[in-house]
């Protein structure tokens, strides 16, 4: 790595590739039930608390989807994992939602819920909470659950490290109208360069002018994907997130930051905060105008 700039670059790129390969092996041991237990139960998902992280994420998503600028037919959630919270607001706007993940066990977990078989976590309090955000009675949660089951048309394998992350069959050639992705890119990338490239790869799934809602960890170096599974994370700050978005042709609409209260640090990761980004994929004519 010390033989000048070109050698150095090649070395970093090789390190990125071997890091990605190591990540792929690690993720085969991902334990959906444990991950849900660590991150999607109290105190992180306490709907009675104003400062709990899950209600914060749901509020960000609700606001973003109800401002009136996000519309279209197809929403894709990138790296869904075993979770559904991230599409509870979007499923009211879009007639077609695709869930995606790299790990078969996560896709199976989602399919079980979609087929009405229940699963490792009861999503009812989440659905009730989003009903409340939408000004509906929490009693209407069954209608919302039915709506979600109706609009999710598939749960597909994805790899954000591929230039074409999803198989193109069945996708509109112009791309989806909106992408959501939560805690995926930084949790699967060994370094900032790989994170930025992965953002560029998922951008190919989005039509120009379409919206990206990105949620992720700030200053996190690892999280637990199971009782004995420590998964490395690329530690990010807000400036790096903004630079990556600009680099990959997104214009930032809003970035919000949540700082983790001390009692939300429950020993399952070393996350310090969470960012929420609403951005838009720049139209080709806008790119030309800014040159
Ligand atoms: N979106 C969920 C959430 O908000 O909790 C899950 C996030 S979890 C930290 C990271 C997810 O990325 C896991 O579900 C994992 O299976 C998935 N993943 C791992 N490697 C991936 C890859 N190469 N491409 C896309 N997703 C990947």
């Amino acid at each position: 790595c010390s033989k000048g700039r070109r050698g150095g670059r090649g070395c970093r790129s090789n390190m990125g590739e071997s890091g990605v390969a190591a990540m792929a092996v690690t993720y085969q041991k991902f334990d959906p039930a444990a991950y849900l237990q660590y991150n999607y139960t109290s105190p992180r998902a306490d709907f009675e608390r104003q400062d709990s992280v899950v209600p914060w994420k749901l509020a960000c998503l609700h606001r973003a989807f109800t401002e009136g600028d996000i519309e279209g037919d197809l929403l894709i959630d990138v790296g869904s994992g075993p979770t559904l919270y991230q599409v509870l607001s979007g499923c009211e706007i879009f007639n077609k939602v695709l869930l995606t993940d790299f790990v078969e066990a996560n896709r199976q977990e989602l399919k079980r819920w979609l087929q009405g078989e229940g699963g490792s976590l009861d999503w009812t309090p989440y659905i009730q909470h989003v009903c409340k955000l939408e000004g509906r009675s929490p009693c209407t949660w069954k209608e919302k659950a039915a709506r979600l089951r109706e609009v999710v048309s598939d749960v597909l394998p994805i790899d954000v490290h591929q230039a074409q992350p999803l198989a193109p069959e069945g996708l509109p050639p112009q791309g989806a109208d909106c992408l959501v992705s939560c805690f995926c890119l930084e949790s699967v990338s060994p370094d900032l360069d790989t994170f930025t490239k992965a953002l560029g790869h998922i951008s190919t799934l989005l039509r120009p002018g379409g919206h990206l809602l990105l949620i992720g960890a700030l200053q996190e170096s690892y999280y637990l994907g199971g009782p004995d599974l420590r998964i490395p994370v690329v530690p990010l700050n807000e400036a790096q997130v903004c630079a990556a978005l600009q680099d990959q042709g997104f214009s930032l609409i809003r970035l919000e930051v949540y700082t983790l209260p001390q009692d939300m640090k429950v020993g399952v990761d070393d996350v310090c905060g969470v960012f929420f980004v609403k951005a838009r994929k720049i139209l080709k004519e806008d790119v030309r105008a800014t040159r």
Side-chain angles (χ1 to χ4, degrees), residues 99-175:
L99 302 178
T100 68
D101 202 74
F102 184 72
V103 172
E104 169 71 17
N106 285 332
R107 298 196 299 271
Q108 288 303 331
E109 176 75 36
L110 295 172
K111 283 179 187 167
R112 272 196 294 279
W113 187 87
L114 291 168
Q115 286 155 10
E117 293 169 25
S120 304
L121 190 80
D122 179 9
W123 292 103
T124 310
Y126 284 72
I127 304 172
Q128 288 172 329
H129 185 79
V130 179
C131 284
K132 273 199 234 169
L133 292 176
E134 289 168 357
R136 296 155 59 168
S137 160
C139 302
T140 61
W141 73 270
K142 283 190 182 163
E143 287 164 31
K144 192 171 195 45
R147 166 83 191 167
L148 183 57
R149 287 188 170 108
E150 181 191 316
V151 297
V152 173
S153 58
D154 218 337
V155 184
L156 299 173
I158 190 165
D159 184 352
V160 299
H161 300 306
Q162 302 298 321
Q164 197 173 62
L166 279 177
E169 296 84 43
L171 295 181
Q174 72 277 15

Side-chain angles (χ1 to χ4, degrees), residues 219-270:
Q219 300 298 5
E220 183 178 49
S221 72
Y222 79 94
Y223 77 101
L224 297 184
D228 299 312
L229 190 65
R230 200 179 154 105
I231 301 180
V233 178
V234 56
L236 296 174
N237 61 37
E238 290 112 287
Q240 288 167 326
V241 174
C242 293
L245 287 163
Q246 193 180 19
D247 200 57
Q248 296 302 330
F250 288 97
S251 103
L252 182 66
I253 298 172
R254 182 165 67 249
L255 181 134
E256 295 177 53
V257 170
Y258 168 92
T259 305
L260 231 76
Q262 203 53 39
D263 71 332
M264 219 72 55
K265 299 184 180 178
V266 289
V268 297
D269 53 42
D270 63 350

Side-chain angles (χ1 to χ4, degrees), residues 27 35 40 79-81 85 101-103 106 159-160 182-183 188 223:
Y27 269 104
Y35 176 76
Y40 294 100
S80 306
Y85 72 91
D101 202 74
F102 184 72
V103 172
N106 285 332
D159 184 352
V160 299
C182 305
F183 303 98
V188 305
Y223 77 101

Side-chain angles (χ1 to χ4, degrees), residues 38-60:
Y38 300 155
N39 293 288
Y40 294 100
T41 60
S42 194
R44 292 188 169 187
D46 185 340
F47 297 103
E48 303 304 317
R49 268 179 69 168
Q50 294 283 344
D51 63 347
S52 181
V53 60
V54 165
W56 180 82
K57 289 190 281 182
L58 292 175
C60 288

